[in-house]
Amino acid sequence: MTSPEAGIIKEHALRTRASRRTESTTMSLRTALLVLAIVPGVALAALWAVTSGQTLLDFQRQAAQGQLAQKAGQPSNIVYYNLQAERRLSAEALARHKGASEELRQQRKLTDEAVKSFQTLSDVATDDAPAEVRDAVGKARAAINQLPAQRALVDDGGNDQQKAVYGYYTDLIAVDLQLFAALSHVDNGRITTLSQPLVDLFWTKEMISRSDALLARGWPEGKLSTEDLKQVRETVSGQELQYSTKVVPQLPPDDKAMWEEITHSAAWKAKTQVENEVLRPAKADADGFVGLGAREKTWRGAMDELGPQIEKLLERRTASVVEEGKGSVMSLLFKMVLTTVVGLVAVIAVIWTTWRLTRNLRRRIGGLQERAEELEKALPDVVERLARGERIDVEAEARAIEPDSRGSRSDELTQLGDALNLARTSALAAAVKQADQHRGFERLLQRIARRTQQLIGQQLKKLDELERKHEDPEVLDGLFDLDHLTARLRRYEENLVILAGGSPHRRWRKPVPLLDVMRSAQGEVQDYRRVVLDLDGSPWLSERAVGPVSHVLAELIENALSFSRPPSPVEVRAAKVSRGLAIEVEDRGLGMEEDQLAAANELMVRPPRMDVLAHSDDIRLGLYVIARLADQHGLRVEFRSSAYGGTRVVLLVPDELTVPEPRTGPVGVPAPAAAAPAAAPAAPSAPAADGPLPTRVQGQALAGVTAPHTAGAPHTTT
């Protein structure tokens, strides 16, 4: 059996090894420095990559948007101009205007060429275009596909088809204007701001073109319906609102001057004059028509002169926006290149600097770690020597860590080495001191317990003598109670010896029946009358297993009685199994939670060294005693939940701790209600179901045996 001194020193060595294993699983300081050297560089490189990538994506996106505006925007402009001209000529053709049919045929050819160019270029331009542009292009294509049907309606229809034809062309041009607006919505806010007046200028021209198309219906006869005049009034009001509030305030000085030149021209004045004459207050005739009061020639001359001027301004503004977009893209390209180059240089500089700074630190820390590991490897050897009882020189064993010659004598790493030297010396000194204290305290506890055990043994002998001398039932009852209390006190003293690292002095020289052992354990608890014994067969225990099994059973029974409410019984069952003897102790108390069962079973499998001072207030000291005895003698103890709601404990005694029955023949167990025979001086009688516990005679089992069972009683030494 290992001495208490060696146990303490081994425990200290195990703690040191466990600490070393824990340190090996965590990040070392050298690794931390390496991480600190790599992480900033990696983070900066990632930031550089993200920034450069984002700039590249912005450049690609804006470049694609500019290219898309060139491919889809310019063809849309041409379609826009031609559709406006075809709308006016279609209105004249429906109104049977002289010469309109021939002009309409020529205009349709120009419109078809513009539409063909738009469809060809928009197929390529909308592959990776934004959803808004794709939707506008899709609507424009769908509306253009209906163009042949509308032309057939114009060719075959009359003046009554004006509204349908006008609505078709107007809706188609509106879709084209939506495409302009979608193309102006780019990621560059400045380009979007510059593009908005251009879109509004397109709408201004559209309002003028709508007035031209509406008036074309009435020129042949010199009159318009009141509904048409209402639409003319709306378009005139709309164009004025458009250019006065949205276009002129947003135009740059050059374009604003060009627009003012247009609005102050004779053609614009003639246009305004005709609009005023047409929209003058007048009464409608019986058919709902109102005379125009103006000449077509004046209006046509003004429109033919203003149209090219406005288109020139539109093209100039478009070119300015496109040029601004190209400049923005080139500026973004320069920014991307500059950011990429400067960021790459910064990343390289940071990585190089941090690597050089941490390399020296890692080298010094590596040397410090190597010398510290040498000391750590020597510590278990010193602990083993302490376990063998050797005296050691703390200063000689705690070899000092020499400072690094290449480092400063006052830097943190040198101070760390000095602190480590002091810590190692203090650890060895503390281990030696703790070992001496534990050995002294355990020896003190064992001496006190041994002396108390001697007194208890003498008291038991005296009680045996008194029980033999007296036959008075009342006196015997009192002696039995004293005998029971003394037996419990002896077990508590043995618990103290076991927890202090010693072993009980009681020894048996012969095998003992398991029934005697069970009754002995029953007799060493307080409320023994609640214990119900049930034995299958008549197994015997070897002499070296009698004491441990009896002690473990007594602790288990007392624990079961403590946590179960009277008068509920505690059942103790035993039977032969394939690997030895299985003894079950089952109560009907509150039971244990799953985590408590797991903790108790873990304690039984791996019992720790008991620190009596640290666990002085622990109510589960009996479990530590059980675990220590089970570990010392090869017993297996397992806690389980009981079907009654309490706890069931299984104690497995291996085959090597059992012996064959010395003699054959059944063991007689009286019925619970049977009366016990009179006590004899040489062999005590078994108690009745509710009778007092029988006395011990010359070391026999505390609870006694049945009348036919007289051999194999243990011999007790105190």
Side-chain angles (χ1 to χ4, degrees), residues 452 456 459 484-494:
T452 306
I456 292 174
Q459 183 175 347
H484 180 215
L485 292 174
T486 306
R488 291 172 57 198
L489 181 60
R490 179 179 62 184
R491 179 167 58 85
Y492 295 154
E493 289 297 325
E494 290 179 351

Side-chain angles (χ1 to χ4, degrees), residues 130-181:
E132 185 180 9
V133 176
R134 291 198 302 269
D135 293 342
V137 171
K139 292 179 180 179
R141 288 178 182 173
I144 288 173
N145 290 334
Q146 300 176 9
L147 188 57
Q150 295 296 324
R151 288 175 175 175
L153 187 63
V154 173
D155 294 338
D156 299 336
N159 203 31
D160 56 342
Q161 298 295 333
Q162 289 280 12
K163 184 176 180 180
V165 173
Y166 174 82
Y168 165 74
Y169 281 101
T170 301
D171 292 341
L172 180 55
I173 294 172
V175 171
D176 204 15
L177 290 172
Q178 290 179 5
L179 177 59
F180 294 160

Side-chain angles (χ1 to χ4, degrees), residues 28-38 354 358 361-362 365:
S28 64
L29 186 57
R30 295 177 62 191
T31 305
L33 287 175
L34 184 61
V35 170
L36 290 177
I38 294 176
T354 54
T358 57
L361 291 176
R362 286 187 288 108
I365 291 174

Side-chain angles (χ1 to χ4, degrees), residues 149-444:
Q150 295 296 324
R151 288 175 175 175
L153 187 63
V154 173
D155 294 338
D156 299 336
N159 203 31
D160 56 342
Q161 298 295 333
Q162 289 280 12
K163 184 176 180 180
V165 173
Y166 174 82
Y168 165 74
Y169 281 101
T170 301
D171 292 341
L172 180 55
I173 294 172
V175 171
D176 204 15
L177 290 172
Q178 290 179 5
L179 177 59
F180 294 160
L183 292 174
S184 68
H185 297 161
V186 295
D187 294 340
N188 192 324
R190 174 174 172 78
I191 302 302
T192 302
T193 303
L194 293 175
S195 300
Q196 187 59 45
L198 176 60
V199 177
D200 294 333
L201 189 57
F202 274 109
W203 273 105
T204 301
K205 186 180 184 304
E206 167 63 9
M207 293 298 150
I208 298 174
S209 178
R210 288 181 182 180
S211 299
D212 191 14
L214 290 170
L215 291 175
R217 303 178 185 179
W219 292 127
E221 298 182 1
K223 60 181 180 180
L224 277 177
S225 65
T226 54
E227 183 179 354
D228 291 341
L229 283 176
K230 181 181 178 181
Q231 293 184 17
V232 172
R233 183 175 290 104
E234 291 176 353
T235 57
V236 172
S237 301
Q239 63 176 283
E240 184 177 358
L241 176 65
Q242 196 74 20
Y243 71 73
S244 62
T245 60
K246 296 184 178 180
V247 176
V248 176
Q250 303 297 331
L251 287 177
D254 294 342
D255 293 340
K256 184 182 293 185
M258 188 174 179
W259 174 258
E260 290 178 353
E261 182 181 351
I262 294 173
T263 56
H264 289 84
S265 64
W268 186 271
K269 293 178 180 179
K271 163 189 163 297
T272 304
Q273 182 181 359
V274 172
E275 290 174 346
N276 292 334
E277 292 176 355
V278 170
L279 298 177
R280 75 188 187 284
K283 292 184 179 180
D285 58 14
D287 295 330
F289 285 87
V290 179
L292 295 178
R295 292 188 302 172
E296 177 186 3
K297 184 177 181 181
T298 304
W299 175 262
R300 185 79 271 132
M303 288 294 101
D304 292 342
E305 184 177 349
L306 289 176
Q309 293 179 2
I310 297 176
E311 290 177 6
K312 182 179 179 181
L313 178 59
L314 286 171
E315 293 301 322
R316 176 178 174 175
R317 189 67 196 144
T318 301
S320 177
V321 172
V322 171
E323 190 65 26
E324 187 70 25
K326 289 182 179 179
S328 176
V329 171
M330 295 306 297
S331 176
L332 188 60
L333 176 61
F334 175 76
K335 178 182 177 182
M336 180 189 69
V337 174
L338 182 63
T339 303
T340 302
V341 173
V342 173
L344 182 60
V345 171
V347 169
I348 295 174
V350 169
I351 293 177
W352 182 79
T353 303
T354 54
W355 180 263
R356 283 184 58 85
L357 289 175
T358 57
R359 183 179 60 179
N360 183 43
L361 291 176
R362 286 187 288 108
R363 176 184 54 78
R364 294 185 59 193
I365 291 174
L368 184 63
Q369 181 183 6
E370 291 177 359
R371 290 187 290 273
E373 288 177 352
E374 292 177 0
L375 294 180
E376 188 177 5
K377 292 178 182 178
L379 184 60
D381 297 335
V382 175
V383 173
E384 290 296 332
R385 291 165 56 190
L386 284 173
R388 294 192 296 268
E390 297 182 14
R391 297 295 178 181
I392 66 171
D393 185 355
V394 176
E395 295 295 335
E397 295 298 337
R399 293 184 292 273
I401 298 177
E402 299 179 358
D404 190 352
S405 59
R406 290 172 288 186
S408 175
R409 293 183 176 274
S410 60
D411 63 1
E412 289 79 1
L413 292 181
T414 303
Q415 295 175 4
L416 178 61
D418 296 340
L420 186 59
N421 291 335
L422 179 61
R424 291 298 180 187
T425 304
S426 301
L428 288 175
V432 173
K433 184 178 180 180
Q434 184 180 15
D436 293 340
Q437 289 178 347
H438 275 79
R439 284 194 294 264
F441 184 73
E442 289 181 349
R443 285 194 297 267
L444 176 63

